[in-house]
């Protein structure tokens, strides 16, 4: 007969591990909240002033690049191999294109669609399932892809906006009927709704944040494949941001000289500083902690849950055109799609139980050798 002592020891060790992770989870939530706060500040500034997105992104990338170069000093220590530097430079070009597409998506679609659109990178999990998965596993990932597309379609139709959400319309109709029964005029409520009306976008505009999300996932995968250690990852990230700044420089200059009719200089102090500190510098360390210590990748339902909670708070604080029920429906469908699209085969998950999961293209990263 087995002794209950090993079982109690396992429970005690799991409880202590959970207690050790609690401060890290709090740091992760606070870091993502600050990053999303910077997104809303940037959106308000860009929408009110009509400033150039490319120029704003470049001006934020430049000090971030200087910070990482000074802090990480990639030229010191063990020399980096060409097989690590060259992919990092190429990754800089992908990062520059990501910032351009994501900034334009934020300006045209709003913060809710821009932030949730970043999770479209989970479609790379579908690609990994098609190339390396089994038959039943492939259909599971395809189903997750369809759920993600449905969520983005509902977002494009304004389900997360109080003006266009079908759930909010039903609540307005029921409230209207109740007030008619009480013979109370409804004009004040309707005028208040019209004051916060936002523009409805279609799937064409949604392509900006969706493509940006795929590029974001691709750059994360490249960064994982070329870096084996945490310190090496930070040094290569400094090279990547430097490369992205160099790629973005001619585009920003072209946009400032002849491409943009409205160049606002200097930028808003809070929008500019919060984007640098929280949106580019702090979030890198927060995501590194989440991946290395909490085993939580960006394109995961757990990460989406944290982002959704932060979005709800910021939508209420900024008094946006927001439908809570419609947003929860879209976020739930997106979370289910991400879970299915990034799901792993049970046998492979058990065989790599001791290692951290990458979530996107996990089969390739775990099964194939990394470049040396």
């Amino acid at each position: 007969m087995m002794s209950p002592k090993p079982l109690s020891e396992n429970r005690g060790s799991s409880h202590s591990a959970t207690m050790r992770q609690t401060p890290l989870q709090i740091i992760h939530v606070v870091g993502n909240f600050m990053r999303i706060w910077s997104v809303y500040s940037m959106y308000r500034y860009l929408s009110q002033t009509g400033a150039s997105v490319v120029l704003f992104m470049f001006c934020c990338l430049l000090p971030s690049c200087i910070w990482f170069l000074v802090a990480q000093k990639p030229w010191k220590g063990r020399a980096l191999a060409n097989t690590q530097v060259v992919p990092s430079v190429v990754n800089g070009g992908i990062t520059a294109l990501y910032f351009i597409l994501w900034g334009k998506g934020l300006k045209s679609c709003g913060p809710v669609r821009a932030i949730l659109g970043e999770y479209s990178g989970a479609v790379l999990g579908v690609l990994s399932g098609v190339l390396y998965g089994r038959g039943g596993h492939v259909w599971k990932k395809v189903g997750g892809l369809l759920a993600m597309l449905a969520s983005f379609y509902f977002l494009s139709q304004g389900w997360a906006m109080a003006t266009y959400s079908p759930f909010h319309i039903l609540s307005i109709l029921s409230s209207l009927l109740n007030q008619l029964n009480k013979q109370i005029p409804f004009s004040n409520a309707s005028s208040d709704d019209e004051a916060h009306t936002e523009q409805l976008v279609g799937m064409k505009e949604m392509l900006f944040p969706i493509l940006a999300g795929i590029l974001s996932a691709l750059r994360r995968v490249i960064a994982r494949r070329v870096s084996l250690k945490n310190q090496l990852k930070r040094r290569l990230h400094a090279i990547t941001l430097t490369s992205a700044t160099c790629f973005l420089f001619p585009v920003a200059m072209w946009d400032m000289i002849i491409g943009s009719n409205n160049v606002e200089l200097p930028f808003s102090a809070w929008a500019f500083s919060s984007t640098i500190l929280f949106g580019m510098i702090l979030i890198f360390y927060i995501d590194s902690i989440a991946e290395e210590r909490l085993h939580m990748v960006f394109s995961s339902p757990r990460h989406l849950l944290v982002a959704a909670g932060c979005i709800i708070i910021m939508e209420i604080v900024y008094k946006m055109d927001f439908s809570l029920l419609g947003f929860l429906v879209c976020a739930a469908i997106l979370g289910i799609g991400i879970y299915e699209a990034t799901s792993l085969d049970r046998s492979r998950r058990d065989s790599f139980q001791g290692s951290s999961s990458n979530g996107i293209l996990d089969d390739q990263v775990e099964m194939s050798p990394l470049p040396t």
Side-chain angles (χ1 to χ4, degrees):
M1 184 175 179
M2 295 182 61
S3 172
K5 185 177 180 179
L7 181 60
S8 61
E9 291 179 353
N10 292 335
R11 289 180 179 177
S13 61
S14 62
H15 178 70
S16 61
T18 303
M19 292 299 294
R20 287 195 302 268
Q21 288 184 350
T22 300
L24 298 178
Q25 293 173 349
I26 296 175
I27 293 174
H28 178 256
V29 172
V30 173
N32 278 273
F33 177 79
M34 299 304 294
R35 188 256 174 176
I36 291 177
W37 188 4
S38 70
V39 171
Y40 276 82
S41 302
M42 186 197 313
Y43 170 72
R44 170 162 290 189
Y45 169 74
L46 293 176
S47 60
Q48 289 179 352
T49 62
S52 169
V53 174
V54 178
L55 185 60
F56 183 84
M57 287 297 179
F58 171 75
C59 293
C60 293
L61 261 179
L62 184 59
S64 303
C65 160
I66 296 175
W67 163 267
F68 280 104
L69 286 176
V70 173
Q72 304 304 328
K73 298 179 176 63
W75 57 86
K76 286 189 175 182
R78 185 177 180 179
L80 299 173
N82 290 334
T83 52
Q84 296 170 332
V85 176
V86 173
S88 298
V89 173
V90 175
N91 204 15
I94 297 175
T95 302
L97 184 57
Y98 154 74
F99 278 118
I100 294 175
L101 292 177
W102 185 82
K104 290 186 176 297
L106 174 65
K107 189 175 182 179
S108 61
C109 300
V112 173
R113 301 183 186 92
I115 295 172
L116 295 185
E118 290 183 295
Y119 293 89
S120 62
V123 300
L124 297 183
V126 180
L127 179 61
S128 69
V130 172
L131 297 178
Y132 298 93
R134 299 177 181 176
H137 201 51
V138 171
W139 286 111
K140 201 173 183 181
K141 289 178 176 289
V142 172
L145 174 62
L146 294 178
M148 292 173 59
L149 292 177
S151 175
F152 292 137
Y153 175 76
F154 295 149
L155 286 172
S156 68
Q157 297 303 306
W159 279 35
M161 301 166 59
T163 307
Y164 302 100
S165 175
F167 307 102
H168 191 74
I169 292 175
L170 292 176
S171 64
I172 292 178
L173 291 177
S174 62
S175 178
L176 176 61
L177 292 176
N178 292 333
Q179 294 200 18
L180 287 177
N181 292 332
K182 296 179 181 179
Q183 296 181 354
I184 298 177
F186 192 68
S187 57
N188 293 335
S190 61
S191 62
D192 183 67
D193 287 342
E194 292 175 358
H196 299 282
T197 300
E198 293 184 8
Q199 185 179 2
L200 184 66
V201 301
M203 283 300 294
K204 183 179 180 180
E205 289 78 9
M206 279 293 296
L207 287 178
F208 285 110
I210 291 176
L211 292 177
I214 296 176
L215 290 177
S216 177
L218 182 60
R219 70 187 180 97
R220 292 172 191 273
V221 171
I222 295 176
R224 291 192 197 107
R225 290 185 64 90
V226 299
S227 59
L228 298 175
K229 297 180 180 180
N230 299 340
Q231 186 64 29
L232 181 61
K233 179 180 179 181
R234 294 167 185 171
R235 294 171 64 192
L236 292 177
H237 182 71
I239 296 176
T240 298
L241 272 193
T242 304
S243 174
T245 307
C246 295
F247 277 111
L248 205 57
F249 174 74
V251 183
M253 293 302 101
W254 177 270
D255 189 68
M256 184 177 67
I257 296 173
I258 62 173
S260 179
N261 296 325
N262 189 7
V263 178
E264 293 285 338
L265 290 174
F267 296 119
S268 170
W270 171 246
F272 182 66
S273 59
S274 63
T275 303
I276 296 172
L277 295 177
F278 306 132
M280 294 187 177
I281 297 177
L282 179 64
I283 196 61
F284 169 75
Y285 296 103
I286 295 298
D287 287 344
S288 298
I289 292 175
E291 291 184 10
E292 297 157 9
R293 304 292 296 276
L294 300 177
H295 308 301
M296 182 192 305
V297 295
F298 184 85
S299 295
S300 65
R302 292 171 60 194
H303 199 287
L304 176 62
L305 181 62
V306 174
C310 298
I311 288 174
I312 292 174
I313 295 175
M314 297 311 300
E315 287 284 318
I316 296 174
V317 170
Y318 276 80
K319 298 180 180 179
M320 305 291 285
D321 188 12
F322 183 62
S323 172
L324 178 60
L325 184 56
F327 171 77
L328 292 177
V329 170
C330 295
I333 297 175
L334 180 60
I336 295 173
I338 292 174
Y339 177 79
E340 297 296 337
T342 58
S343 62
L344 300 175
D345 196 353
R346 295 293 181 182
S347 60
R348 293 185 180 181
R349 184 186 302 177
D350 295 337
S351 61
F352 296 105
Q353 190 174 9
S355 59
S356 62
S357 171
N358 285 335
I360 307 172
L361 289 178
D362 192 72
D363 296 339
Q364 298 95 301
V365 176
E366 295 289 350
M367 298 296 291
S368 60
L370 294 173
T372 57

